[in-house]
Amino acid sequence: DTEVTQTPKHLVMGMTNKKSLKCEQHMGHRAMYWYKQKAKKPPELMFVYSYEKLSINESVPSRFSPECPNSSLLNLHLHALQPEDSALYLCASSQERTEAFFGQGTRLTVV
Amino acid sequence: EDQVTQSPEALRLQEGESSSLNCSYTVSGLRGLFWYRQDPGKGPEFLFTLYSAGEEKEKERLKATLTKKESFLHITAPKPEDSATYLCAASGSARQLTFGSGTQLTVLP
């Protein structure tokens, strides 16, 4: 099983809303990632969790708040987003020195 | 700084017309070179991992190769269902994936 599951698939939120994106994997991977992807661009790394600890934060604004409750789950809490934050948000997981497996993404629209 | 450059940006092929996509990389301490396929609105789908120069991997109509500076994704006798964006990514000593900007492949029937 090489599946990374993301929910919801689509999300529309206002600029004053608070919402969360969820990601789950059962491959035993110890690294989990959040990426942001704009149309016709490659994925941009946002956060990396390694062994449930935040190891990389790519200078992401504080309106994005990651959380790793356990080794299988990754959340991304959203608050006071801007329309320019609209994008495809991708979760991925991997083992050391191996390929990352991506979820199908959450299409986020901020209105 | 790690860099990955893909060419061409877009490629249109007739069904059955074989071709290659290029991925040039400058990565400190290459740990792996990865190829992904991405359909519109979907997450990248893993295709291949290459670890060292001279390595080759095959899957159906796709074959990936690696040299010390480049990787190629060869597509033999493509079909319309091979149409997608193909992403190359490299992992170096910083352990993060550096993506190229992708090649958008269209295979016409």
Side-chain angles (χ1 to χ4, degrees):
Chain A
D1 181 10
T2 56
E3 191 169 330
V4 176
T5 304
Q6 289 187 243
T7 55
K9 288 185 169 46
H10 302 275
L11 178 62
V12 179
M13 60 184 291
M15 289 188 282
T16 58
N17 291 160
K18 285 184 182 181
K19 296 287 185 183
S20 297
L21 309 185
K22 297 185 183 301
C23 175
E24 188 169 5
Q25 59 91 11
H26 294 288
M27 295 177 277
H29 290 169
R30 304 318 296 261
M32 295 186 76
Y33 313 81
W34 281 114
Y35 284 85
K36 173 182 178 179
Q37 188 176 27
K38 294 282 224 180
K40 299 195 181 298
K41 297 287 187 183
E44 295 175 33
L45 183 65
M46 299 175 72
F47 302 104
V48 180
Y49 272 84
S50 180
Y51 291 86
E52 301 166 47
K53 288 186 168 43
L54 183 65
S55 63
I56 295 176
N57 175 341
E58 290 287 352
S59 303
V60 178
S62 60
R63 57 186 184 269
F64 295 92
S65 175
E67 179 197 18
C68 188
N70 60 53
S71 60
S72 299
L73 294 175
L74 189 64
N75 298 323
L76 185 63
H77 303 296
L78 313 173
H79 173 55
L81 295 192
Q82 303 297 310
E84 58 265 29
D85 296 320
S86 298
L88 182 67
Y89 287 84
L90 295 163
C91 173
S93 70
S94 74
Q95 288 287 35
E96 280 285 325
R97 204 176 178 260
T98 64
E99 55 276 354
F101 290 93
F102 285 81
Q104 288 302 293
T106 294
R107 171 65 62 188
L108 174 67
T109 303
V110 181
V111 297
Chain B
E1 183 181 338
D2 295 345
Q3 284 194 323
V4 176
T5 304
Q6 289 187 248
S7 62
E9 287 185 17
L11 181 62
R12 290 166 68 91
L13 300 173
Q14 289 296 132
E15 184 172 2
E17 180 186 0
S18 301
S19 188
S20 295
L21 313 183
N22 176 264
C23 171
S24 299
Y25 64 91
T26 306
V27 173
S28 175
L30 183 71
R31 295 164 66 88
L33 188 292
F34 309 97
W35 283 96
Y36 290 87
R37 169 194 170 127
Q38 187 172 26
D39 293 302
K42 302 274 183 74
E45 174 191 348
F46 168 72
L47 294 174
F48 303 110
T49 303
L50 302 165
Y51 290 111
S52 56
E55 193 173 358
E56 299 182 353
K57 295 271 179 75
E58 280 189 75
K59 179 181 177 181
E60 296 180 358
R61 295 177 291 281
L62 300 177
K63 178 179 175 181
T65 61
L66 183 66
T67 73
K68 288 189 177 179
K69 293 183 179 179
E70 295 176 302
S71 179
F72 294 92
L73 185 66
H74 307 277
I75 302 177
T76 302
K79 298 183 177 182
E81 54 262 41
D82 294 322
S83 297
T85 295
Y86 290 85
L87 292 166
C88 170
S91 174
S93 55
R95 300 188 179 187
Q96 300 174 43
L97 277 182
T98 300
F99 278 91
S101 54
T103 293
Q104 185 174 355
L105 175 66
T106 303
V107 182
L108 303 170

